[in-house]
Amino acid sequence: MFHPRRTLKALLPPLVAGLALTALPAPAAHAASTLTNGGFEADGTGTATPSGWSEYGSTGASYVEAGGHGGDHRLSHWSSSAYRVETYQYLSGLANGSYRLTAWVRSGGGQNSAYLALKNCGGAEQRTDLPVSATGWIRIVVPVQVTNNQCTVSVNSDANAGNWINVDDLTLTKGTAGVPVKGADVSSLAKSEARGGVYRTASGAGGDALAILKSAGMNHARLKVWVNPADGYNDKARVLATAKRVKAQGMKLLVDFHYSDTWADPGAQSKPAAWAGHSYDQLKKDVYDHTYDVLGALKAQGTAADMVQVGNEINGGMLWSEGSTDDWPRLAGLINSGYDAVKKVNASTPVALHLAKGGDLAGTRWWFDNAVAHGVRFDAIGLSYYGYWHGPLSDFQTTLDDAAARYGKPVFVAETAYPFRLDSEDAHENIIDTAAELVPGYPATTAGQTAWMNTVANIVEAVPDGRGLGVFYWEATWTAVPGNGWDPADPASGNGWENQALFGYDDRALPATAWFRHR
């Protein structure tokens, strides 16, 4: 069993409700300039206070037990009654500078809070919440600036009866961390506004959606490009108009080419009607010309793309059937045509290739191994990761880390989202609308949506060697507005996504927008 069960010592009296676990006893005599016993292997199963560590609060809820990540043992927090406990280690004699705490963690969820912290380091305390992952271990990091030659490493639980965490293999090394890209896809925005959609701040004041998101910390916008869509939105002209607004907010721009008149994804990669019947050589020219035309126009109006996706969720290729993964040489030629066009407009613009199924290690390896073998050129890897479809968080981390290391490229989450409620605002059934579809530990509430985004950002932040670029929330502004539905050819089509937007049914910005302020 992964969760701890043991005979507990008598617990200390419960701490006063709301008491912050920040008041520390005098520094322990073992204080040193390096982390001691970070793998909890120095003692044995049942050890109440691990060597090198101290405890505060409900100390009976903190102990060492068998079942480590890297070795034989781990630190666990658990009690049969509500508890608050901190397991900490004070370090002194540190050289000032940037440090990063790394740890492998698991949690059954349900706590009021469960996090790792670096504090008393001379500046603001830094925290990283533990993800809810009951089986697979997940690596998280906490960065801090040490300015007073000391720091306290802290493992905290403010928990209800039966809640548990496991922590193991902590290291404190020189280094930094963070998520440079904090973005959202806002492709639906222009049509929403044209059909009467409004956006409000959390306090209810009306405003421009991009300005509201920018004020929350958003620094990148993603816009999809269709060739000749039935409704006239997400084409070149509309992308140019929205790009002006994005740049006016001081945000950067990711342009996402679908090479279709409608949705392109693993199940559909239909050629634009205007390209139907074209030869393969002509299709390569079509890709080049279309890519060059859109990006050249963006550059000419002073809103150049900062990153470009050649294709959208191209697990099965693009421009079927010529560009199918059944014919890698031809698919490679089409992708490279897009790459060449991007570089012709601006040689420094990074080109990303985007797959879905962010928890599929074998599939991601298969795709990119083939791409490399066939000479496909790319600068970054984007993965869609929807936890209710694409496997557990631990599989997502494994896939993301592997892609970064195996291909030596920066990686990012091109799409993710999570519901803040399950019911629909319009008559159209939501894509995720039952509790059984949710990720365990992440309820369909505003708090659950916020926790999901923080977890995804924390996993990207922990990608080794600084290769985790960031995250794009998918369709943050796609609220339920009549006429702005799924099908660009059907004005009566509904929206199955409004319960996963970042604006609520009252049009107010949701608490999950706080994830844009991730360090």
Side-chain angles (χ1 to χ4, degrees):
M1 298 283 291
F2 51 80
H3 48 78
R5 290 287 184 268
R6 71 170 196 136
T7 302
L8 294 174
K9 298 185 301 181
L11 299 179
L12 293 182
L15 295 175
V16 177
L19 175 63
L21 294 180
T22 54
L24 293 175
H30 61 253
S33 61
T34 55
L35 192 66
T36 301
N37 192 24
F40 304 101
E41 300 296 330
D43 310 295
T45 300
T47 300
T49 305
S51 297
W53 295 84
S54 302
E55 295 175 343
Y56 178 67
S58 306
T59 56
S62 173
Y63 52 91
V64 174
E65 64 178 349
H69 167 261
D72 294 330
H73 296 88
R74 68 196 183 205
L75 174 71
S76 291
H77 287 178
W78 176 82
S79 174
S80 59
S81 56
Y83 63 95
R84 300 188 71 190
V85 69
E86 176 184 29
T87 309
Y88 68 94
Q89 188 169 149
Y90 169 78
L91 301 176
S92 63
L94 293 172
N96 288 336
S98 300
Y99 287 83
R100 180 174 58 209
L101 177 71
T102 302
W104 288 89
V105 302
R106 299 190 299 195
S107 172
Q111 299 92 345
N112 299 316
S113 63
Y115 60 90
L116 302 184
L118 292 174
K119 59 187 185 178
N120 308 322
C121 309
E125 177 179 334
Q126 296 295 314
R127 295 182 179 182
T128 299
D129 292 334
L130 269 63
V132 180
S133 179
T135 52
W137 290 90
I138 293 176
R139 184 186 60 255
I140 59 175
V141 299
V142 190
V144 77
Q145 282 292 125
V146 173
T147 60
N148 61 355
N149 303 113
Q150 64 185 22
C151 198
T152 299
V153 176
S154 174
V155 181
N156 281 268
S157 292
D158 176 0
N160 300 300
N163 293 162
W164 63 269
I165 66 170
N166 301 149
V167 180
D168 202 6
D169 295 337
L170 291 99
T171 60
L172 184 70
T173 58
K174 288 292 187 71
T176 60
V179 178
V181 174
K182 294 173 272 281
D185 192 303
V186 290
S187 298
S188 62
L189 178 59
K191 188 174 179 181
S192 172
E193 292 170 332
R195 299 295 186 271
V198 297
Y199 299 88
R200 303 184 185 281
T201 66
S203 60
D208 176 82
L210 292 177
I212 293 169
L213 294 171
K214 166 71 174 182
S215 69
M218 177 172 150
N219 62 14
H220 280 68
R222 179 178 185 252
L223 297 175
K224 70 171 175 274
V225 186
W226 288 338
V227 179
N228 290 305
D231 61 0
Y233 284 88
N234 304 117
D235 64 356
K236 174 187 170 184
R238 301 285 187 176
V239 168
L240 285 169
T242 304
K244 286 183 178 179
R245 297 174 57 187
V246 167
K247 294 287 187 167
Q249 293 294 336
M251 295 191 219
K252 293 187 176 181
L253 175 65
L254 169 59
V255 177
D256 171 20
F257 285 95
H258 283 227
Y259 300 113
S260 180
D261 293 335
T262 187
W263 302 99
D265 55 46
Q269 294 283 340
S270 302
K271 287 194 286 283
W275 304 358
H278 286 189
S279 67
Y280 172 69
D281 286 340
Q282 181 61 44
L283 284 174
K284 285 201 295 183
K285 186 174 187 301
D286 292 335
V287 169
Y288 184 97
D289 290 348
H290 171 61
T291 306
Y292 183 87
D293 179 46
V294 173
L295 297 179
L298 284 166
K299 182 180 179 181
Q301 73 171 13
T303 61
D306 297 286
M307 183 186 287
V308 175
Q309 281 181 221
V310 172
N312 186 78
E313 294 191 332
I314 53 176
N315 299 58
M318 63 188 201
L319 293 166
W320 289 345
S321 61
E322 287 81 355
S324 164
T325 49
D326 291 337
D327 191 338
W328 268 101
R330 291 210 291 183
L331 173 56
L334 292 168
I335 294 172
N336 284 340
S337 284
Y339 182 95
D340 290 343
V342 175
K343 299 299 184 177
K344 184 67 172 179
V345 175
N346 189 338
S348 65
T349 303
V351 174
L353 299 183
H354 171 208
L355 301 187
K357 302 181 182 178
D360 182 3
L361 174 63
T364 301
R365 276 189 175 183
W366 175 85
W367 199 97
F368 278 101
D369 281 359
N370 272 290
V372 170
H374 288 90
V376 173
R377 297 189 291 279
F378 61 100
D379 307 309
I381 293 172
L383 299 177
S384 293
Y385 178 63
Y386 296 101
Y388 38 72
W389 292 329
H390 296 156
L393 288 160
S394 52
D395 286 354
F396 164 55
Q397 181 168 70
T398 298
T399 305
L400 198 67
D401 289 354
D402 184 78
R406 190 176 181 88
Y407 308 107
K409 305 291 186 184
V411 294
F412 65 98
V413 177
E415 297 181 18
T416 191
Y418 207 77
F420 60 92
R421 58 195 293 171
L422 293 173
D423 60 313
S424 296
E425 187 180 5
D426 63 8
H428 191 79
E429 180 182 7
N430 288 334
I431 291 177
I432 302 298
D433 65 350
T434 67
E437 295 173 292
L438 299 174
V439 179
Y442 294 89
T445 61
T446 57
Q449 184 187 47
T450 303
W452 177 259
M453 288 310 301
N454 286 333
T455 291
V456 171
N458 289 337
I459 288 174
V460 175
E461 181 182 30
V463 173
D465 301 319
R467 289 195 173 117
L469 278 182
V471 182
F472 287 88
Y473 194 95
W474 194 69
E475 284 289 11
T477 58
W478 201 3
T479 52
V481 176
N484 191 25
W486 274 101
D487 187 351
D490 180 7
S493 62
N495 178 5
W497 202 258
E498 75 270 15
N499 67 325
Q500 299 195 65
L502 289 181
F503 291 86
Y505 290 6
D506 58 0
D507 301 319
R508 297 186 184 203
L510 290 165
T513 56
W515 91 265
F516 290 120
R517 294 189 288 278
H518 194 282
R519 57 183 171 254

